[in-house]
Amino acid sequence: MGAALLTSALVVTGCARDTGAGGGGAPSGGGAAACATGTAPGGGGAAAPTSAAATKPNAASLKVGVAYDIGGRGDQSFNDAAYAGVEKAVSDFGLPQANVKELTASPNEPEDAAATRLRQLANDGYNPVIAVGFKYATPLGKVAAELPNTKFAIVDDNSITLPNVTSLVFAEEQGSYLVGVAAALKSKACHIGFVGGVDVPLIQKFEAGYTQGAKAVAPNIKIESKYITPAGDFTGFQDPAKGNVVATGELDAGADVVYAAAGASGAGVFNAVKAKSTADAPKYAIGVDSDQYKTADPAVRDVIITSMLKRVDVAVYDYIGATAAGNLSTLPKVFDLKVDGVGYATSGGKVDDIKAKLDGYKAGIISGAITVKATK
C-alpha cells in the first residue's frame, strides 16, 4: 500500500465563501457564508480491501447463528449491514440459507435475555454464533465460558479474552472524520450537527471523529451535539420520533448539515432535515453504518449527501469465511481505513465535487500523517 505524504495545509481560521463547488459556479444561497477550507492532504494511498475470504472457503457444513442488536433486520443501518455479510457468505461460500438462524434483542431487555438467546443458538447446534453489538459483551463472556466448543464473534467489543471469542471492532472515528470533513465542506452556515443514539463510549467515537474532521478544515465551525437517550437507555437506537425532535432542535439552532449515528432513529433525523430544507436554504443529512442513500425512504434520499460506512458486512463475511477455512488469524485486529473497514459513501453524486479532498484526508489517515483520536 502506497503511503501518502501530508502536503502543507493552509487552514483558514474563519468562515468564508465556499469556492469548492463543482463547475465553477457561484455558491447558492444568496451569498451565504460557508466554512473556510484548507488544502486537503495530498497523496494517493488507497485502502487494501480486507479479504479473509479470498480463497473462497466452503461453508456448506456450517450452521451460523446471528443474535442481532435492538432493531434487528430492517433498521437500514447496523443490523442490516451484519445481515448483508451473512447474505454474501451464503452466495459466495455455499453457506446454506437454511443453516442460518437469526434472533433479535428487545429494547431494555434484562441481561439474562441476551445470554438465553446466545445459549439457545449454541445449544441448537449453530457454530459459529455472531453477536451483533456491544450490549452482548457481558452475557457472551458468560456463555462462551460455558460452551468452549462453540465459536463466537462479537461486533463492537474487544473486552472478552476467551479463546473461542473473536472481536470484530472498527475505527469508527476514522470514517466519522471523513464525513466531518464533508460536512464542513458542504455547510453554508459554518454550523453543523451531530445526533447520537445513546450516550455511550462507542457512539462518542463517532462524535469525536466527526468533530475532528470538521475542525480540520474549519477550526471555527460551530457544532451542535446531542444524544437521544442517556447511557443505559438503548431505545435511542430505535426511536425515529425522538431523533426527529433532536435533529429539528439542531437545525433550528442554525445547523445545516446533521450527522446521525443513531441506528433506526436516523430515519427521524432524515425526515427532520427534509422538512427544514428549502431551495433557498438547503439542509443536508449524513447517514451511518450502511449506505443510507440506498436504504432510506426515497422521499428523503435527496438530502442525504453521504454516509459513514462501517463495514459490519465485511467483518461478518470475513469472519464466516475465516471460520470455514479454519484460520481466524487472517482477520484484522481492527477494521479501519487500511482494510476498508470504514469509509464514506458516494451514492447520489452529492460529494463528487469534494471527493478529491476527502480522499486526500483518507490517504493522510492511512499513511499515519493524520492521527484521529477516539475521544474528544
Side-chain angles (χ1 to χ4, degrees), residues 127-195:
N127 187 3
V129 173
I130 302 169
V132 184
F134 64 86
K135 76 183 295 290
Y136 283 101
T138 299
L140 177 57
K142 180 188 301 183
V143 174
E146 295 171 4
L147 302 169
N149 294 324
T150 300
K151 294 182 177 67
F152 295 89
I154 181 167
V155 176
D156 282 347
D157 179 81
N158 61 1
S159 67
I160 304 170
T161 58
L162 297 172
N164 60 329
V165 177
T166 299
S167 296
L168 304 175
V169 293
F170 302 81
E172 294 94 349
E173 68 280 6
Q174 292 183 357
S176 295
Y177 184 104
L178 296 180
V179 299
V181 169
L185 290 171
K186 288 292 184 177
S187 177
K188 299 297 182 184
C190 207
H191 192 164
I192 62 177
F194 173 83
V195 177

Short mmCIF file of all heavy atoms in Angstrom, two decimals, residues 127-195:
data_model
loop_
_atom_site.label_atom_id
_atom_site.label_comp_id
_atom_site.label_asym_id
_atom_site.label_seq_id
_atom_site.Cartn_x
_atom_site.Cartn_y
_atom_site.Cartn_z
N ASN A 127 -22.88 -22.90 15.05
CA ASN A 127 -21.47 -22.74 15.39
C ASN A 127 -20.74 -22.35 14.10
O ASN A 127 -20.61 -23.19 13.21
CB ASN A 127 -20.92 -24.05 15.95
CG ASN A 127 -19.51 -23.91 16.48
OD1 ASN A 127 -18.94 -22.84 16.50
ND2 ASN A 127 -18.94 -25.04 16.92
N PRO A 128 -20.40 -21.07 13.95
CA PRO A 128 -20.28 -20.03 14.97
C PRO A 128 -21.58 -19.30 15.24
O PRO A 128 -22.54 -19.38 14.47
CB PRO A 128 -19.28 -19.06 14.34
CG PRO A 128 -19.59 -19.14 12.87
CD PRO A 128 -19.91 -20.60 12.63
N VAL A 129 -21.54 -18.55 16.35
CA VAL A 129 -22.64 -17.65 16.73
C VAL A 129 -22.07 -16.23 16.73
O VAL A 129 -21.04 -15.97 17.35
CB VAL A 129 -23.20 -18.00 18.11
CG1 VAL A 129 -24.22 -16.96 18.56
CG2 VAL A 129 -23.84 -19.39 18.09
N ILE A 130 -22.75 -15.34 16.02
CA ILE A 130 -22.28 -13.96 15.89
C ILE A 130 -23.20 -13.03 16.68
O ILE A 130 -24.40 -12.96 16.41
CB ILE A 130 -22.25 -13.53 14.41
CG1 ILE A 130 -21.34 -14.48 13.61
CG2 ILE A 130 -21.78 -12.08 14.28
CD1 ILE A 130 -21.46 -14.31 12.11
N ALA A 131 -22.64 -12.35 17.66
CA ALA A 131 -23.38 -11.39 18.48
C ALA A 131 -23.16 -9.99 17.91
O ALA A 131 -22.02 -9.52 17.85
CB ALA A 131 -22.92 -11.45 19.93
N VAL A 132 -24.23 -9.35 17.49
CA VAL A 132 -24.13 -8.05 16.81
C VAL A 132 -24.39 -6.93 17.82
O VAL A 132 -25.54 -6.59 18.10
CB VAL A 132 -25.11 -7.98 15.63
CG1 VAL A 132 -24.93 -6.67 14.86
CG2 VAL A 132 -24.93 -9.17 14.69
N GLY A 133 -23.32 -6.37 18.37
CA GLY A 133 -23.49 -5.23 19.27
C GLY A 133 -22.82 -5.43 20.61
O GLY A 133 -22.78 -6.53 21.17
N PHE A 134 -22.31 -4.31 21.15
CA PHE A 134 -21.55 -4.35 22.41
C PHE A 134 -22.41 -4.74 23.60
O PHE A 134 -21.89 -5.17 24.63
CB PHE A 134 -20.89 -3.00 22.67
CG PHE A 134 -21.85 -1.86 22.89
CD1 PHE A 134 -22.37 -1.59 24.13
CD2 PHE A 134 -22.23 -1.04 21.82
CE1 PHE A 134 -23.26 -0.54 24.33
CE2 PHE A 134 -23.11 0.01 22.01
CZ PHE A 134 -23.63 0.26 23.26
N LYS A 135 -23.75 -4.62 23.48
CA LYS A 135 -24.61 -4.99 24.61
C LYS A 135 -24.50 -6.46 24.95
O LYS A 135 -24.90 -6.89 26.04
CB LYS A 135 -26.06 -4.60 24.33
CG LYS A 135 -26.80 -5.53 23.37
CD LYS A 135 -28.21 -5.05 23.09
CE LYS A 135 -29.09 -5.08 24.31
NZ LYS A 135 -29.42 -6.44 24.75
N TYR A 136 -23.95 -7.26 24.04
CA TYR A 136 -23.81 -8.70 24.29
C TYR A 136 -22.54 -9.04 25.08
O TYR A 136 -22.33 -10.21 25.42
CB TYR A 136 -23.78 -9.45 22.96
CG TYR A 136 -25.12 -9.62 22.31
CD1 TYR A 136 -25.50 -8.80 21.26
CD2 TYR A 136 -26.02 -10.60 22.74
CE1 TYR A 136 -26.75 -8.94 20.65
CE2 TYR A 136 -27.26 -10.74 22.14
CZ TYR A 136 -27.62 -9.92 21.10
OH TYR A 136 -28.86 -10.07 20.52
N ALA A 137 -21.70 -8.07 25.36
CA ALA A 137 -20.39 -8.38 25.92
C ALA A 137 -20.47 -9.19 27.22
O ALA A 137 -19.87 -10.27 27.33
CB ALA A 137 -19.60 -7.09 26.15
N THR A 138 -21.19 -8.71 28.20
CA THR A 138 -21.25 -9.41 29.49
C THR A 138 -21.90 -10.78 29.36
O THR A 138 -21.34 -11.79 29.82
CB THR A 138 -21.97 -8.55 30.54
OG1 THR A 138 -21.25 -7.34 30.73
CG2 THR A 138 -22.08 -9.29 31.86
N PRO A 139 -23.09 -10.90 28.74
CA PRO A 139 -23.68 -12.23 28.61
C PRO A 139 -22.83 -13.18 27.75
O PRO A 139 -22.76 -14.38 28.04
CB PRO A 139 -25.04 -11.98 27.97
CG PRO A 139 -24.99 -10.58 27.43
CD PRO A 139 -24.03 -9.85 28.29
N LEU A 140 -22.17 -12.66 26.71
CA LEU A 140 -21.35 -13.53 25.88
C LEU A 140 -20.16 -14.07 26.66
O LEU A 140 -19.78 -15.24 26.50
CB LEU A 140 -20.87 -12.79 24.63
CG LEU A 140 -19.95 -13.58 23.70
CD1 LEU A 140 -20.61 -14.87 23.24
CD2 LEU A 140 -19.54 -12.74 22.50
N GLY A 141 -19.55 -13.24 27.49
CA GLY A 141 -18.44 -13.71 28.30
C GLY A 141 -18.84 -14.91 29.15
O GLY A 141 -18.08 -15.87 29.30
N LYS A 142 -20.05 -14.86 29.67
CA LYS A 142 -20.55 -15.96 30.50
C LYS A 142 -20.85 -17.20 29.66
O LYS A 142 -20.43 -18.32 29.98
CB LYS A 142 -21.82 -15.50 31.23
CG LYS A 142 -22.46 -16.55 32.13
CD LYS A 142 -23.81 -16.07 32.65
CE LYS A 142 -23.70 -14.78 33.42
NZ LYS A 142 -25.01 -14.35 34.00
N VAL A 143 -21.57 -17.02 28.56
CA VAL A 143 -22.00 -18.15 27.74
C VAL A 143 -20.81 -18.81 27.04
O VAL A 143 -20.73 -20.04 26.96
CB VAL A 143 -23.05 -17.69 26.70
CG1 VAL A 143 -23.40 -18.82 25.74
CG2 VAL A 143 -24.32 -17.20 27.42
N ALA A 144 -19.88 -18.02 26.54
CA ALA A 144 -18.72 -18.59 25.86
C ALA A 144 -17.87 -19.42 26.81
O ALA A 144 -17.28 -20.44 26.40
CB ALA A 144 -17.89 -17.47 25.23
N ALA A 145 -17.79 -19.02 28.07
CA ALA A 145 -17.04 -19.80 29.05
C ALA A 145 -17.73 -21.13 29.31
O ALA A 145 -17.07 -22.16 29.54
CB ALA A 145 -16.88 -19.00 30.34
N GLU A 146 -19.05 -21.13 29.28
CA GLU A 146 -19.82 -22.36 29.49
C GLU A 146 -19.70 -23.33 28.32
O GLU A 146 -19.81 -24.54 28.49
CB GLU A 146 -21.31 -22.03 29.67
CG GLU A 146 -21.66 -21.22 30.90
CD GLU A 146 -23.12 -20.77 30.86
OE1 GLU A 146 -23.84 -21.17 29.91
OE2 GLU A 146 -23.53 -20.04 31.76
N LEU A 147 -19.51 -22.77 27.11
CA LEU A 147 -19.57 -23.57 25.87
C LEU A 147 -18.28 -23.39 25.08
O LEU A 147 -18.26 -22.77 24.01
CB LEU A 147 -20.78 -23.14 25.04
CG LEU A 147 -22.15 -23.25 25.73
CD1 LEU A 147 -23.23 -22.55 24.92
CD2 LEU A 147 -22.51 -24.72 25.94
N PRO A 148 -17.18 -23.95 25.57
CA PRO A 148 -15.88 -23.70 24.94
C PRO A 148 -15.74 -24.29 23.54
O PRO A 148 -14.83 -23.90 22.81
CB PRO A 148 -14.89 -24.35 25.91
CG PRO A 148 -15.69 -25.39 26.64
CD PRO A 148 -17.07 -24.80 26.77
N ASN A 149 -16.62 -25.21 23.17
CA ASN A 149 -16.52 -25.82 21.84
C ASN A 149 -17.31 -25.06 20.77
O ASN A 149 -17.30 -25.45 19.59
CB ASN A 149 -17.00 -27.27 21.88
CG ASN A 149 -16.08 -28.14 22.72
OD1 ASN A 149 -14.87 -27.95 22.72
ND2 ASN A 149 -16.65 -29.09 23.45
N THR A 150 -17.98 -24.01 21.17
CA THR A 150 -18.70 -23.15 20.23
C THR A 150 -17.89 -21.90 19.96
O THR A 150 -17.40 -21.26 20.89
CB THR A 150 -20.09 -22.76 20.77
OG1 THR A 150 -20.87 -23.93 20.99
CG2 THR A 150 -20.81 -21.85 19.78
N LYS A 151 -17.73 -21.57 18.69
CA LYS A 151 -17.03 -20.35 18.34
C LYS A 151 -18.03 -19.19 18.33
O LYS A 151 -19.14 -19.32 17.80
CB LYS A 151 -16.39 -20.47 16.95
CG LYS A 151 -15.25 -21.48 16.87
CD LYS A 151 -14.65 -21.48 15.48
CE LYS A 151 -13.46 -22.42 15.38
NZ LYS A 151 -13.88 -23.84 15.53
N PHE A 152 -17.61 -18.07 18.89
CA PHE A 152 -18.43 -16.86 18.94
C PHE A 152 -17.65 -15.69 18.35
O PHE A 152 -16.43 -15.64 18.43
CB PHE A 152 -18.82 -16.52 20.38
CG PHE A 152 -19.70 -17.51 21.07
CD1 PHE A 152 -19.14 -18.57 21.78
CD2 PHE A 152 -21.08 -17.40 21.01
CE1 PHE A 152 -19.95 -19.49 22.43
CE2 PHE A 152 -21.90 -18.32 21.66
CZ PHE A 152 -21.34 -19.37 22.37
N ALA A 153 -18.39 -14.77 17.77
CA ALA A 153 -17.82 -13.47 17.40
C ALA A 153 -18.73 -12.39 17.97
O ALA A 153 -19.94 -12.60 18.10
CB ALA A 153 -17.72 -13.31 15.89
N ILE A 154 -18.13 -11.26 18.31
CA ILE A 154 -18.93 -10.15 18.79
C ILE A 154 -18.50 -8.87 18.08
O ILE A 154 -17.31 -8.58 17.96
CB ILE A 154 -18.83 -9.98 20.33
CG1 ILE A 154 -19.73 -8.80 20.80
CG2 ILE A 154 -17.40 -9.83 20.80
CD1 ILE A 154 -19.93 -8.75 22.30
N VAL A 155 -19.48 -8.15 17.58
CA VAL A 155 -19.25 -6.88 16.90
C VAL A 155 -19.23 -5.76 17.93
O VAL A 155 -20.10 -5.68 18.80
CB VAL A 155 -20.37 -6.62 15.86
CG1 VAL A 155 -20.20 -5.25 15.22
CG2 VAL A 155 -20.39 -7.72 14.80
N ASP A 156 -18.20 -4.92 17.86
CA ASP A 156 -18.10 -3.71 18.67
C ASP A 156 -17.67 -3.93 20.11
O ASP A 156 -17.94 -3.10 20.98
CB ASP A 156 -19.40 -2.90 18.66
CG ASP A 156 -19.59 -2.11 17.40
OD1 ASP A 156 -18.62 -1.97 16.64
OD2 ASP A 156 -20.71 -1.63 17.15
N ASP A 157 -17.00 -5.03 20.39
CA ASP A 157 -16.47 -5.22 21.74
C ASP A 157 -15.19 -6.04 21.65
O ASP A 157 -15.12 -7.00 20.88
CB ASP A 157 -17.47 -5.95 22.64
CG ASP A 157 -16.90 -6.16 24.04
OD1 ASP A 157 -16.95 -5.21 24.84
OD2 ASP A 157 -16.40 -7.27 24.31
N ASN A 158 -14.19 -5.65 22.43
CA ASN A 158 -12.96 -6.43 22.49
C ASN A 158 -12.54 -6.72 23.92
O ASN A 158 -11.36 -6.90 24.21
CB ASN A 158 -11.83 -5.71 21.73
CG ASN A 158 -11.50 -4.35 22.32
OD1 ASN A 158 -12.11 -3.92 23.31
ND2 ASN A 158 -10.55 -3.65 21.71
N SER A 159 -13.52 -6.79 24.81
CA SER A 159 -13.21 -7.00 26.23
C SER A 159 -13.12 -8.46 26.62
O SER A 159 -12.64 -8.78 27.72
CB SER A 159 -14.29 -6.31 27.09
OG SER A 159 -15.55 -6.96 26.93
N ILE A 160 -13.55 -9.37 25.75
CA ILE A 160 -13.57 -10.79 26.09
C ILE A 160 -12.31 -11.46 25.56
O ILE A 160 -12.01 -11.38 24.38
CB ILE A 160 -14.82 -11.48 25.50
CG1 ILE A 160 -16.09 -10.76 25.96
CG2 ILE A 160 -14.88 -12.95 25.90
CD1 ILE A 160 -17.35 -11.21 25.25
N THR A 161 -11.58 -12.13 26.45
CA THR A 161 -10.29 -12.71 26.07
C THR A 161 -10.33 -14.23 25.95
O THR A 161 -9.30 -14.87 25.86
CB THR A 161 -9.21 -12.31 27.10
OG1 THR A 161 -9.61 -12.75 28.40
CG2 THR A 161 -9.01 -10.80 27.10
N LEU A 162 -11.51 -14.81 25.91
CA LEU A 162 -11.62 -16.26 25.79
C LEU A 162 -11.18 -16.74 24.40
O LEU A 162 -11.42 -16.04 23.41
CB LEU A 162 -13.06 -16.69 26.06
CG LEU A 162 -13.60 -16.40 27.47
CD1 LEU A 162 -15.09 -16.69 27.55
CD2 LEU A 162 -12.84 -17.23 28.50
N PRO A 163 -10.57 -17.92 24.31
CA PRO A 163 -10.05 -18.38 23.02
C PRO A 163 -11.12 -18.68 21.98
O PRO A 163 -10.81 -18.73 20.78
CB PRO A 163 -9.28 -19.66 23.39
CG PRO A 163 -9.85 -20.11 24.70
CD PRO A 163 -10.24 -18.86 25.41
N ASN A 164 -12.36 -18.86 22.40
CA ASN A 164 -13.43 -19.16 21.44
C ASN A 164 -14.25 -17.92 21.07
O ASN A 164 -15.32 -18.02 20.48
CB ASN A 164 -14.35 -20.26 21.96
CG ASN A 164 -15.03 -19.92 23.28
OD1 ASN A 164 -14.46 -19.19 24.10
ND2 ASN A 164 -16.22 -20.44 23.50
N VAL A 165 -13.74 -16.72 21.41
CA VAL A 165 -14.44 -15.47 21.09
C VAL A 165 -13.54 -14.59 20.23
O VAL A 165 -12.38 -14.33 20.57
CB VAL A 165 -14.84 -14.70 22.36
CG1 VAL A 165 -15.49 -13.37 21.99
CG2 VAL A 165 -15.79 -15.53 23.22
N THR A 166 -14.06 -14.15 19.09
CA THR A 166 -13.35 -13.25 18.18
C THR A 166 -14.03 -11.88 18.21
O THR A 166 -15.24 -11.78 18.05
CB THR A 166 -13.38 -13.79 16.74
OG1 THR A 166 -12.72 -15.06 16.70
CG2 THR A 166 -12.69 -12.83 15.78
N SER A 167 -13.24 -10.85 18.41
CA SER A 167 -13.76 -9.49 18.43
C SER A 167 -13.71 -8.89 17.02
O SER A 167 -12.68 -9.00 16.34
CB SER A 167 -12.94 -8.61 19.38
OG SER A 167 -13.05 -9.07 20.71
N LEU A 168 -14.81 -8.28 16.62
CA LEU A 168 -14.88 -7.58 15.33
C LEU A 168 -15.12 -6.10 15.65
O LEU A 168 -16.25 -5.68 15.90
CB LEU A 168 -16.03 -8.15 14.48
CG LEU A 168 -15.98 -9.66 14.22
CD1 LEU A 168 -17.24 -10.11 13.46
CD2 LEU A 168 -14.73 -10.06 13.46
N VAL A 169 -14.05 -5.34 15.68
CA VAL A 169 -14.14 -3.94 16.09
C VAL A 169 -13.65 -3.03 14.96
O VAL A 169 -12.91 -3.45 14.07
CB VAL A 169 -13.34 -3.67 17.38
CG1 VAL A 169 -13.99 -4.40 18.55
CG2 VAL A 169 -11.89 -4.10 17.23
N PHE A 170 -14.03 -1.77 15.03
CA PHE A 170 -13.87 -0.84 13.92
C PHE A 170 -13.27 0.48 14.39
O PHE A 170 -13.42 0.87 15.55
CB PHE A 170 -15.23 -0.55 13.27
CG PHE A 170 -15.92 -1.79 12.76
CD1 PHE A 170 -16.64 -2.61 13.63
CD2 PHE A 170 -15.83 -2.14 11.43
CE1 PHE A 170 -17.26 -3.76 13.17
CE2 PHE A 170 -16.45 -3.29 10.96
CZ PHE A 170 -17.16 -4.10 11.83
N ALA A 171 -12.65 1.17 13.46
CA ALA A 171 -12.14 2.53 13.72
C ALA A 171 -13.21 3.53 13.28
O ALA A 171 -13.05 4.26 12.30
CB ALA A 171 -10.82 2.76 12.99
N GLU A 172 -14.32 3.55 14.01
CA GLU A 172 -15.43 4.44 13.65
C GLU A 172 -15.01 5.89 13.59
O GLU A 172 -15.55 6.68 12.80
CB GLU A 172 -16.58 4.30 14.66
CG GLU A 172 -17.26 2.96 14.67
CD GLU A 172 -16.69 2.00 15.70
OE1 GLU A 172 -15.61 2.30 16.26
OE2 GLU A 172 -17.31 0.94 15.93
N GLU A 173 -14.04 6.25 14.43
CA GLU A 173 -13.59 7.64 14.45
C GLU A 173 -12.95 8.04 13.12
O GLU A 173 -13.04 9.19 12.71
CB GLU A 173 -12.63 7.88 15.62
CG GLU A 173 -11.28 7.21 15.54
CD GLU A 173 -11.26 5.74 15.93
OE1 GLU A 173 -12.34 5.17 16.18
OE2 GLU A 173 -10.16 5.16 15.98
N GLN A 174 -12.31 7.10 12.43
CA GLN A 174 -11.67 7.43 11.15
C GLN A 174 -12.70 7.72 10.06
O GLN A 174 -12.60 8.71 9.34
CB GLN A 174 -10.75 6.29 10.71
CG GLN A 174 -9.52 6.11 11.60
CD GLN A 174 -8.61 5.01 11.09
OE1 GLN A 174 -8.89 4.32 10.12
NE2 GLN A 174 -7.47 4.83 11.77
N GLY A 175 -13.71 6.85 9.94
CA GLY A 175 -14.76 7.12 8.96
C GLY A 175 -15.54 8.37 9.30
O GLY A 175 -15.93 9.14 8.40
N SER A 176 -15.76 8.60 10.58
CA SER A 176 -16.51 9.79 11.00
C SER A 176 -15.72 11.06 10.74
O SER A 176 -16.29 12.12 10.47
CB SER A 176 -16.88 9.68 12.48
OG SER A 176 -17.78 8.61 12.70
N TYR A 177 -14.40 10.97 10.82
CA TYR A 177 -13.55 12.12 10.48
C TYR A 177 -13.82 12.55 9.04
O TYR A 177 -13.97 13.74 8.75
CB TYR A 177 -12.09 11.72 10.67
CG TYR A 177 -11.06 12.81 10.44
CD1 TYR A 177 -10.43 13.42 11.51
CD2 TYR A 177 -10.68 13.20 9.16
CE1 TYR A 177 -9.46 14.40 11.32
CE2 TYR A 177 -9.72 14.17 8.95
CZ TYR A 177 -9.11 14.77 10.03
OH TYR A 177 -8.16 15.74 9.84
N LEU A 178 -13.90 11.58 8.14
CA LEU A 178 -14.10 11.91 6.73
C LEU A 178 -15.45 12.56 6.49
O LEU A 178 -15.55 13.52 5.71
CB LEU A 178 -13.95 10.65 5.88
CG LEU A 178 -12.56 10.00 5.88
CD1 LEU A 178 -12.56 8.76 5.00
CD2 LEU A 178 -11.49 10.98 5.43
N VAL A 179 -16.50 12.08 7.15
CA VAL A 179 -17.80 12.72 6.93
C VAL A 179 -17.87 14.05 7.67
O VAL A 179 -18.66 14.93 7.29
CB VAL A 179 -18.98 11.80 7.28
CG1 VAL A 179 -18.97 10.55 6.41
CG2 VAL A 179 -19.04 11.44 8.75
N GLY A 180 -17.05 14.24 8.69
CA GLY A 180 -16.93 15.56 9.31
C GLY A 180 -16.31 16.55 8.34
O GLY A 180 -16.72 17.71 8.26
N VAL A 181 -15.29 16.10 7.61
CA VAL A 181 -14.70 16.93 6.56
C VAL A 181 -15.77 17.28 5.53
O VAL A 181 -15.91 18.45 5.13
CB VAL A 181 -13.52 16.20 5.88
CG1 VAL A 181 -13.08 16.94 4.62
CG2 VAL A 181 -12.34 16.04 6.84
N ALA A 182 -16.55 16.28 5.11
CA ALA A 182 -17.61 16.52 4.12
C ALA A 182 -18.62 17.53 4.63
O ALA A 182 -19.07 18.42 3.89
CB ALA A 182 -18.30 15.21 3.75
N ALA A 183 -19.01 17.40 5.91
CA ALA A 183 -19.99 18.32 6.48
C ALA A 183 -19.48 19.75 6.44
O ALA A 183 -20.20 20.69 6.07
CB ALA A 183 -20.33 17.91 7.91
N ALA A 184 -18.22 19.95 6.82
CA ALA A 184 -17.66 21.29 6.84
C ALA A 184 -17.54 21.86 5.42
O ALA A 184 -17.79 23.05 5.19
CB ALA A 184 -16.29 21.28 7.51
N LEU A 185 -17.18 21.01 4.47
CA LEU A 185 -17.06 21.48 3.09
C LEU A 185 -18.41 21.83 2.48
O LEU A 185 -18.50 22.70 1.61
CB LEU A 185 -16.37 20.40 2.24
CG LEU A 185 -14.89 20.16 2.53
CD1 LEU A 185 -14.40 18.93 1.76
CD2 LEU A 185 -14.05 21.37 2.15
N LYS A 186 -19.46 21.17 2.92
CA LYS A 186 -20.79 21.39 2.35
C LYS A 186 -21.61 22.43 3.10
O LYS A 186 -22.59 22.95 2.57
CB LYS A 186 -21.57 20.07 2.32
CG LYS A 186 -21.08 19.07 1.29
CD LYS A 186 -21.35 19.57 -0.12
CE LYS A 186 -20.97 18.56 -1.18
NZ LYS A 186 -21.29 19.02 -2.55
N SER A 187 -21.24 22.74 4.33
CA SER A 187 -22.03 23.68 5.11
C SER A 187 -21.91 25.10 4.58
O SER A 187 -20.80 25.59 4.35
CB SER A 187 -21.59 23.65 6.58
OG SER A 187 -22.30 24.61 7.33
N LYS A 188 -23.03 25.76 4.40
CA LYS A 188 -23.04 27.17 4.02
C LYS A 188 -23.10 28.08 5.24
O LYS A 188 -22.78 29.26 5.15
CB LYS A 188 -24.25 27.46 3.11
CG LYS A 188 -24.27 26.68 1.82
CD LYS A 188 -23.10 27.01 0.93
CE LYS A 188 -23.17 26.26 -0.39
NZ LYS A 188 -21.97 26.51 -1.22
N ALA A 189 -23.51 27.51 6.36
CA ALA A 189 -23.68 28.31 7.58
C ALA A 189 -22.48 28.21 8.51
O ALA A 189 -22.44 28.90 9.52
CB ALA A 189 -24.93 27.85 8.32
N CYS A 190 -21.51 27.36 8.16
CA CYS A 190 -20.39 27.08 9.07
C CYS A 190 -20.92 26.59 10.42
O CYS A 190 -20.44 26.96 11.48
CB CYS A 190 -19.50 28.30 9.24
SG CYS A 190 -17.78 27.85 9.66
N HIS A 191 -21.95 25.74 10.34
CA HIS A 191 -22.67 25.31 11.54
C HIS A 191 -23.28 23.94 11.23
O HIS A 191 -24.12 23.82 10.33
CB HIS A 191 -23.77 26.33 11.86
CG HIS A 191 -24.40 26.19 13.20
ND1 HIS A 191 -25.16 27.21 13.76
CD2 HIS A 191 -24.42 25.18 14.10
CE1 HIS A 191 -25.61 26.81 14.95
NE2 HIS A 191 -25.18 25.58 15.17
N ILE A 192 -22.85 22.92 11.93
CA ILE A 192 -23.29 21.55 11.65
C ILE A 192 -23.77 20.88 12.92
O ILE A 192 -23.65 21.43 14.01
CB ILE A 192 -22.16 20.73 11.00
CG1 ILE A 192 -20.95 20.61 11.95
CG2 ILE A 192 -21.74 21.36 9.66
CD1 ILE A 192 -19.82 19.74 11.41
N GLY A 193 -24.34 19.68 12.78
CA GLY A 193 -24.90 18.98 13.93
C GLY A 193 -24.53 17.52 13.96
O GLY A 193 -24.19 16.91 12.95
N PHE A 194 -24.61 16.94 15.16
CA PHE A 194 -24.41 15.51 15.38
C PHE A 194 -25.52 15.01 16.28
O PHE A 194 -25.80 15.61 17.33
CB PHE A 194 -23.05 15.24 16.05
CG PHE A 194 -22.86 13.79 16.47
CD1 PHE A 194 -22.43 12.85 15.56
CD2 PHE A 194 -23.15 13.39 17.78
CE1 PHE A 194 -22.27 11.51 15.94
CE2 PHE A 194 -22.99 12.07 18.17
CZ PHE A 194 -22.55 11.12 17.24
N VAL A 195 -26.18 13.91 15.87
CA VAL A 195 -27.21 13.28 16.70
C VAL A 195 -26.76 11.85 17.00
O VAL A 195 -26.65 11.02 16.08
CB VAL A 195 -28.58 13.26 15.99
CG1 VAL A 195 -29.61 12.52 16.85
CG2 VAL A 195 -29.06 14.68 15.70
#
